[in-house]
Amino acid sequence: EVQLVESGGGLVQAGGSLRLSCATSGFTFDDYNIGWFRQAPGKEREGVACISIGDDRTFYADAMKGRFTISSDNAKNTVYLRMNSLKPEDTAVYYCAADRLDCSAVASSYDYWGQGTQVTVSS
């Protein structure tokens, strides 16, 4: 069974940092692209970052470039999202997702999703 489990969310003050983890199982890790998305109440789900596991390419939304870093540990089938210089507008539920075909910015392109982890940034 395919499974993606996020962890590492919590409450942090503006300017602080968090590292989110996405532990995966049930599929061939190297064949997939793993993306991070976020969604705040009343807002659309938006792409944050993505990593193509097979060739180690990474992609970022413009708002996250320079602050967020996506990486993977193939031995653990796990993807990480390091978030620095956090702002209140980063507050959202963060999800990881797996896409067999590409590192898409479109949420509907992804095949599998985790349950999400809450990130709250206080002013």
Side-chain angles (χ1 to χ4, degrees), residues 17-21 34 36 48-51 56 58-61 64-72 79-86:
S17 298
L18 286 173
R19 188 180 74 160
L20 307 183
S21 298
I34 308 297
W36 285 96
V48 173
C50 186
I51 183 165
D56 205 35
T58 59
F59 306 88
Y60 300 92
M64 291 79 186
K65 287 182 178 178
R67 296 193 298 126
F68 291 9
T69 303
I70 190 168
S71 61
S72 65
V79 171
Y80 304 96
L81 184 70
R82 169 65 69 181
M83 305 186 294
N84 295 326
S85 302
L86 284 163

Side-chain angles (χ1 to χ4, degrees), residues 11-114:
L11 176 64
V12 64
Q13 291 183 316
S17 298
L18 286 173
R19 188 180 74 160
L20 307 183
S21 298
C22 175
T24 75
S25 60
F27 62 93
T28 303
F29 193 65
D30 248 19
D31 289 343
Y32 278 77
N33 309 275
I34 308 297
W36 285 96
F37 289 78
R38 69 185 187 186
Q39 188 167 24
K43 297 183 179 179
E44 297 292 313
R45 188 166 297 191
E46 64 175 339
V48 173
C50 186
I51 183 165
S52 180
I53 304 299
D55 59 12
D56 205 35
R57 290 181 297 162
T58 59
F59 306 88
Y60 300 92
D62 287 344
M64 291 79 186
K65 287 182 178 178
R67 296 193 298 126
F68 291 9
T69 303
I70 190 168
S71 61
S72 65
D73 183 339
N74 283 29
K76 297 180 179 179
N77 291 346
T78 297
V79 171
Y80 304 96
L81 184 70
R82 169 65 69 181
M83 305 186 294
N84 295 326
S85 302
L86 284 163
K87 306 172 182 179
E89 51 263 47
D90 295 319
T91 295
V93 177
Y94 283 71
Y95 301 89
C96 63
D99 186 335
R100 177 67 176 82
L101 297 178
D102 208 348
C103 227
S104 179
V106 179
S108 61
S109 294
Y110 287 76
D111 303 300
Y112 308 109
W113 290 83

